[in-house]
Amino acid sequence: MTLLVTGGAGFIGSNFVLDWFGQSDEQIVNLDALTYAGNLHNLDALRGDARHVFVQGDIGDRALVDRLLAEYRPRAIVNFAAESHVDRSIHGPGEFMRTNVLGTFALLEAARGYWGALEANAKSAFRFLHVSTDEVYGSLAPGAPAFTETHPYEPNSPYSASKAASDHLVRAWHHTYGLPVLTTNCSNNYGPYHFPEKLIPLMIVNALAGKPLPVYGDGMQVRDWLYVGDHCSAIRTVLAKGKVGETYNVGGWNEKPNIEIVRTVCTLLDELRPSAEGSYARLISYVKDRPGHDRRYAIDARKIERELGWRPAETFDTGIRKTVQWYLDHADWVAGVQSGGYRDWVARNYAAR
Ligand code: NAD
Ligand code: TYD
């Protein structure tokens, strides 16, 4: 048995692949374009492991995906591949449309062709699991109920609009063609291998370098944070037990304003790697807000708990401590991803703030 995982060299995808082999010997074919966000070092632990087949390529490359499907005959596709950073989508939305919308379209078409020709048992067992985000639902007012699976789609950024479009395609390929799809809409993840353009790893690496900690606007935007290992277990659960055609919201029951997250990171670093110059909180610096910045996301994850029995295992306290410790222990990984391209991005996003 084999899974085709796309985007498995990125943050969540690589955690998923590593996690998978902790539980199963089932082969994974990992298709990843290795954009700036893809990093084969995340998968160093799998060097020489025959269960993992890495293929560098684009989900939008129909000929390649057709060939991989024909050769490896996967029982499921798990689609992580995407452009994933809101700020980058504001600076350059084109790549988001190309990968998130057109790439998903091409992958769905390849899956449809492959699935349509499977024999009856394999056909009924096949799954296309699409990994999506809570950002498709838009922004919540303070005190408004958390997003359920039936909340209207109201995406506000080029990133969330492109993910919403991909979710709609996945839905339509089920309703029109019968493709056995599953969709997960998850809140903000954090944990090992998180690229330091996103809030939590950026704050850790900037603090350790004695650089300012840039908090957008008033820092009171609220996100729900989920430890990445819990997202991986949710995806495994949905893949195994999810009802075809359904969507499942995945969250950590852990809403927090950004400034609180940043202060928590500072407090942990003060404990684990104290600075002679005083608390890292001295580096907090309020900067110009993100255009169109969503004020609040919150996930109602009762459906996945009720129907599939999944709940997060980590609390924020345990997850954030592990995460900060991981970055302290993996200075080489951090140095490796801070390439010229990374420095160009930091200059582009923060210079005018
Ligand atoms: P990431 O940016 O860290 O990784 C994306 C991966 O996809 C990279 O390895 C990249 O090389 C690969 N990729 C990009 N374009 C590709 C293409 N055209 N073909 C093949 N591979 C390509 O992203 P992530 O944070 O790991 O997110 C993974 C998925 O989970 C995304 O679909 C994202 O929308 C979704 N998601 C992320 C979060 C979060 O907090 N990070 C939360 C909910 C959902
Ligand atoms: P991010 O990690 O980019 O995830 P998303 O935008 O997908 O939620 O940002 C999380 C929150 O942190 C978001 O409200 C924007 C804010 N933020 C900052 O305040 N400063 C920063 O430098 C970054 C990258 C994000």
Side-chain angles (χ1 to χ4, degrees):
M1 302 279 258
T2 298
L3 294 186
L4 174 61
V5 169
T6 73
F11 163 47
I12 305 172
S14 61
N15 274 283
F16 178 82
V17 171
L18 293 169
D19 221 66
W20 183 263
F21 293 127
Q23 332 261 332
S24 164
D25 285 331
E26 185 175 357
Q27 183 182 52
I28 286 183
V29 176
N30 182 351
L31 172 64
D32 194 297
L34 296 182
T35 68
Y36 78 92
N39 184 351
L40 276 180
H41 286 303
N42 299 3
L43 301 163
D44 276 349
L46 297 175
R47 284 229 175 114
D49 189 328
R51 297 173 301 175
H52 179 239
V53 178
F54 183 79
V55 179
Q56 183 172 1
D58 196 310
I59 55 166
D61 181 344
R62 252 317 277 284
L64 172 63
V65 176
D66 285 346
R67 182 172 68 67
L68 294 176
L69 292 173
E71 186 175 342
Y72 292 101
R73 319 291 302 162
R75 68 169 177 98
I77 298 174
V78 184
N79 183 31
F80 292 97
E83 289 293 333
S84 68
H85 189 32
V86 173
D87 292 317
R88 286 188 192 250
S89 82
I90 294 168
H91 287 272
E95 220 29 49
F96 288 71
M97 303 307 133
R98 205 185 62 74
T99 285
N100 300 3
V101 185
L102 297 176
T104 304
F105 163 64
L107 194 64
L108 282 165
E109 278 293 82
R112 179 164 78 92
Y114 166 71
W115 166 78
L118 289 173
E119 55 82 21
N121 284 344
K123 194 171 179 184
S124 69
F126 183 78
R127 298 287 182 269
F128 184 107
L129 193 156
H130 180 61
V131 180
S132 192
T133 164
D134 60 357
E135 303 192 25
V136 298
Y137 298 125
S139 187
L140 285 169
F147 300 129
T148 64
E149 289 77 3
T150 55
H151 193 279
Y153 269 44
E154 291 171 339
N156 291 319
S157 72
Y159 163 66
S160 55
S162 69
K163 290 297 289 186
S166 68
D167 293 8
H168 290 322
L169 295 176
V170 170
R171 175 189 163 88
W173 260 241
H174 173 64
H175 282 268
T176 301
Y177 304 114
L179 188 71
V181 306
L182 298 156
T183 299
T184 54
N185 293 90
C186 187
S187 58
N188 286 55
N189 285 213
Y190 65 98
Y193 304 112
H194 204 181
F195 194 81
E197 64 185 354
K198 306 278 171 66
L199 180 72
I200 289 177
L202 183 85
M203 295 300 150
I204 299 171
V205 306
N206 276 17
L208 290 174
K211 292 186 179 156
L213 308 180
V215 173
Y216 295 167
D218 63 2
M220 289 307 290
Q221 303 83 4
V222 171
R223 301 290 183 262
D224 170 76
W225 294 93
L226 180 71
Y227 188 69
V228 64
D230 279 326
H231 190 189
C232 296
S233 76
I235 292 169
R236 280 202 314 274
T237 302
V238 172
L239 187 61
K241 301 198 270 182
K243 192 164 159 233
V244 164
E246 292 290 313
T247 69
Y248 297 92
N249 283 357
V250 182
W253 299 107
N254 180 53
E255 277 186 64
K256 289 195 190 300
N258 293 338
I259 187 65
E260 194 182 321
I261 298 286
V262 176
R263 289 194 185 284
T264 302
V265 166
C266 292
T267 305
L268 278 168
L269 285 172
D270 288 342
E271 177 196 325
L272 299 169
R273 182 70 56 86
S275 157
E277 286 154 69
S279 172
Y280 291 98
R282 74 186 188 282
L283 298 170
I284 292 174
S285 155
Y286 288 90
V287 299
K288 195 166 151 223
D289 209 351
R290 172 188 278 173
H293 199 171
D294 284 336
R295 198 69 187 161
R296 175 175 168 238
Y297 305 138
I299 278 274
D300 180 335
R302 280 178 298 179
K303 177 178 170 182
I304 187 171
E305 178 166 2
R306 191 175 59 243
E307 297 187 7
L308 308 182
W310 176 88
R311 256 192 88 81
E314 297 289 342
T315 64
F316 188 68
D317 287 351
T318 57
I320 193 69
R321 181 174 283 275
K322 276 191 199 175
T323 303
V324 170
Q325 189 64 58
W326 188 89
Y327 280 86
L328 290 173
D329 294 342
H330 292 80
D332 288 358
W333 182 90
V334 172
V337 299
Q338 289 176 316
S339 63
Y342 176 77
R343 286 193 292 274
D344 291 349
W345 161 252
V346 170
R348 198 145 51 96
N349 192 44
Y350 295 97
R353 283 199 139 98

